[in-house]
Amino acid sequence: MHRPIARRAALGVLGLLALAPAAQAAGSAPARTTLTDSAPTWAKPDTQVGSVANTDSRTFWVYLRLRDSQALDQTIAAVSDPSSSSYGEYLTPQQFDSRFAPTSADVSAVRGWLRGAGFAVSADAPDNNRWVKASGSVAQVERAFQTQLRTYQHEGHVLQAPDGDLSVPGSVAGRIAGVAGLDGSDRLMKPAGDVPGAPPSPAFVNDGPCSSFWSEKLATTVPQAYGETQPYVTCGYTPSQLQGAYGMKAPIAGGIDGNGQTVAIVDAFASPTIEQDANQYASLHGQGPVPFSQIVPPGIFDVPENEPTGCDPQGWYGEETLDVEAVHAMAPAAHVLYVGGQDCNDESLIDAVNKIVDGNKAQIITNSYGNFGENEPAGLLQAWNDTFRQAAAEGIGVYFSSGDDGDETQNPDLDGQPHTDFPASDPLVTAVGGTSLGVSASDGYLFETGWGETTSKLVDGAWTPDPPGDFLYGGGGGTSDLFGEPNYQRRVVPGRLARAKGHGPHRVVPDVSAVGDPQTGMLVGQTQTFPDGTTKYSEYRIGGTSLSSPLMAGMMALADQAAGRRHGFANPALYAQVGTPAYHDVAAPVKPIAVVRNDFVNGVDASDGETTKLRTFDQTLTLHDTPGYDDVTGVGSPNGQAFLDALAFRGRGR
């Protein structure tokens, strides 16, 4: 369930950490400055289909530039590098703001320009002065930014966008990191007062038979595959099974259970039944109540099912449920903080992450969403990256699911070429890839391989098409188009991956991995809406790298507790343990692995019939899980006490 945030225009920026306005000649401040790459690349004359009415309104965000960028990057490197004498000497939010955040003068200058241009400017701003929000008519936008808003045909949609790069007055250009909200794929959602909120998500029920552990039940009544009778799909792993498989059961029993740690979860919207669902699930599976709190926008529980952004609140309810229950499964004593975005657009999700970062409300943040590919305009790309920079400086680890479409070559909305997904590809986040996991009858680790799957359907007594069949889904990974190779990946990531784009070296995704395959996924519990209109709690199996990320976040909470300190931006420490027992070195299986599953046609019961499918594992397209680092599973998956011990080192001079 890797949910796409609003997809953006392609951006050709290499090794990006900080964007700058277009260069100007020396001398006095220029009258206007162009904001490079601020118009989508798909906004071309040959795809233009119309204009936008001058009286239409637009809400947009002007993101402000952080100060002393070079010193900030040096600070991040020093506090995150285990070999540095400053390792772990993180800044407080107050220290960060005083040294690097935009100033009140920056905010006042930008607000003054916007008001002078006739815009209504919001009085609200985050404590770290990261942005200014404004609104006005299309005519005002076109005058202020010296552009024209037009409509364009793109990927089957008609979208608004500027017809060229934006420009701003030279007097404020140096304060502006980028502008967002002026292309039509990104609209501000405003819940309407007393409109009934979206009901619980439509019900999904797993069909049987299923195996309570790997290969418990064999599918003897259907054709063999690969010369063998294949097992039925698992019913969904429980917290005890996942703790056992990743070697965390003994540490948890010994008191390394996440106590004293806070893991924040960011998603869009907010499930009105999340706390009762998570606690019921925990009780049914032998865990205590979830230490839980949430920060959500006003009116979020009144969002209608068909709200104007098209973000599907009900789908996000299931995402939130998975994330909360997965973190608690791995770190049962950790405090779980849920922070909801007003909708699923970038600006709302950046706002949610910023609340955690500038308020120092957690030491770990897990995010189960992302773009398809790295299609992100310059302003939003910079806004995300600056948020991650502040998190790293303050010792907050940010984890993102790597995606659920493999290398994206099968994605009809992209160009058929391999792509990584953003924000997972940002060098300042930990990208979590997916695996397929076998758990024994005694909750032990049987096998793990990279998550990538094909499917065949049982038709007239035969698997059609012949196994392995058609690609279905898999963990995201590969080589970034945008970002250069970070220091922590050097001498670890093979050159053939770092230079896979024909130049580079570039950032490669993922960094680490955990189970994500829905065939070996987690059993979750959620209040759902059934076809007869009733709502009730029920449990079902689910996967995706949006399972992998919160599981990894929970295990990192254990690692923080065991070490007695924050690991913060953990990639340098994680890569330092490559080749040690800290990880399961996930690689391709020696022989094909597959499962059989039955599905209800209507997703709920057998009244409309059933289908039988064969799912073949480790089908990862242009990605390959190999010994050592690979672009499916990264450095591997955590290996229990050895993982906790490896991350307990203090670093030089500590």
Side-chain angles (χ1 to χ4, degrees), residues 201-207 524 526 528-531 538-542 597-600 602-605:
S201 308
F204 177 75
V205 178
N206 293 124
D207 197 357
V524 301
Q526 180 188 2
Q528 300 185 90
T529 302
F530 285 78
S538 61
E539 296 187 346
Y540 57 97
R541 179 186 63 249
I542 195 170
R597 62 179 282 171
N598 294 323
D599 290 307
F600 297 124
N602 61 16
V604 178
D605 57 38

Side-chain angles (χ1 to χ4, degrees), residues 175-483:
R175 307 176 192 264
I176 295 175
V179 179
L182 295 182
D183 78 77
S185 64
D186 212 16
R187 294 176 297 169
L188 178 67
M189 187 276 292
K190 299 176 181 178
D194 58 356
V195 175
S201 308
F204 177 75
V205 178
N206 293 124
D207 197 357
C210 61
S211 298
S212 58
F213 52 87
W214 178 258
S215 201
E216 178 199 22
K217 296 178 181 178
L218 297 179
T220 57
T221 60
V222 300
Q224 292 185 334
Y226 307 109
E228 295 182 0
T229 299
Q230 299 298 330
Y232 278 111
V233 66
T234 62
C235 303
Y237 292 137
T238 64
S240 178
Q241 288 177 299
L242 292 168
Q243 291 173 13
Y246 285 116
M248 300 298 176
K249 188 176 289 189
I252 289 171
I256 303 300
D257 54 7
N259 185 45
Q261 314 304 306
T262 298
V263 178
I265 293 164
V266 174
D267 284 312
F269 306 106
S271 167
T273 64
I274 183 59
E275 190 165 11
Q276 70 190 52
D277 289 344
N279 284 331
Q280 183 169 355
Y281 178 83
S283 176
L284 290 172
H285 295 284
Q287 293 187 296
V290 182
F292 180 79
S293 62
Q294 59 184 335
I295 301 171
V296 297
I300 202 67
F301 297 116
D302 294 323
V303 175
E305 181 177 349
N306 296 315
E307 51 81 40
T309 65
C311 284
D312 180 23
Q314 294 170 305
W316 284 89
Y317 294 171
E319 187 67 76
E320 179 186 353
T321 302
L322 168 63
D323 292 351
V324 171
E325 292 175 0
V327 169
H328 188 60
M330 280 302 186
H335 181 82
V336 178
L337 170 66
Y338 177 74
V339 183
Q342 184 75 55
D343 53 47
C344 71
N345 288 328
D346 294 77
E347 296 88 353
S348 295
L349 295 169
I350 291 170
D351 184 25
V353 176
N354 187 66
K355 284 185 172 75
I356 303 165
V357 171
D358 200 48
N360 198 21
K361 296 182 181 300
Q363 79 270 21
I364 296 168
I365 306 173
T366 176
N367 307 268
S368 293
Y369 51 85
N371 283 339
F372 293 137
E374 294 178 305
N375 295 336
E376 193 81 358
L380 283 171
L381 192 66
Q382 186 65 65
W384 276 115
N385 189 255
D386 283 347
T387 304
F388 303 147
R389 294 166 87 195
Q390 181 169 355
E394 293 178 8
I396 299 172
V398 182
Y399 296 76
F400 269 90
S401 53
S402 69
D404 294 345
D405 293 284
D407 64 4
E408 297 288 5
T409 59
Q410 306 299 301
N411 190 328
D413 288 334
L414 296 178
D415 58 8
Q417 299 300 309
H419 294 286
T420 59
D421 291 349
F422 181 83
S425 62
D426 191 289
L428 287 175
V429 308
T430 300
V432 187
T435 68
S436 302
L437 175 69
V439 181
S440 73
S442 58
D443 296 352
Y445 182 95
L446 285 178
F447 71 87
E448 204 167 13
T449 191
W451 172 40
E453 239 152 55
T454 50
T455 184
S456 299
K457 185 176 180 180
L458 186 61
V459 178
D460 296 330
W463 296 119
T464 306
D466 291 339
D470 300 321
F471 180 78
L472 184 62
Y473 41 37
T479 306
S480 171
D481 291 299
L482 295 182
F483 299 104

Side-chain angles (χ1 to χ4, degrees), residues 26 42 67 75 115 170 224-225 239 282 293 333 412 415 447 471 535 558 626:
W42 45 259
R67 293 177 290 138
T75 298
R115 289 193 182 107
Q224 292 185 334
S293 62
D415 58 8
F447 71 87
F471 180 78
T535 60
L558 304 186
T626 61

Side-chain angles (χ1 to χ4, degrees), residues 17-18 65-78 99-100 389:
L17 282 180
R65 186 175 302 281
L66 297 181
R67 293 177 290 138
D68 206 351
S69 187
Q70 183 176 359
L72 173 55
D73 290 339
Q74 291 170 346
T75 298
I76 292 169
R99 291 176 59 184
F100 302 117
R389 294 166 87 195

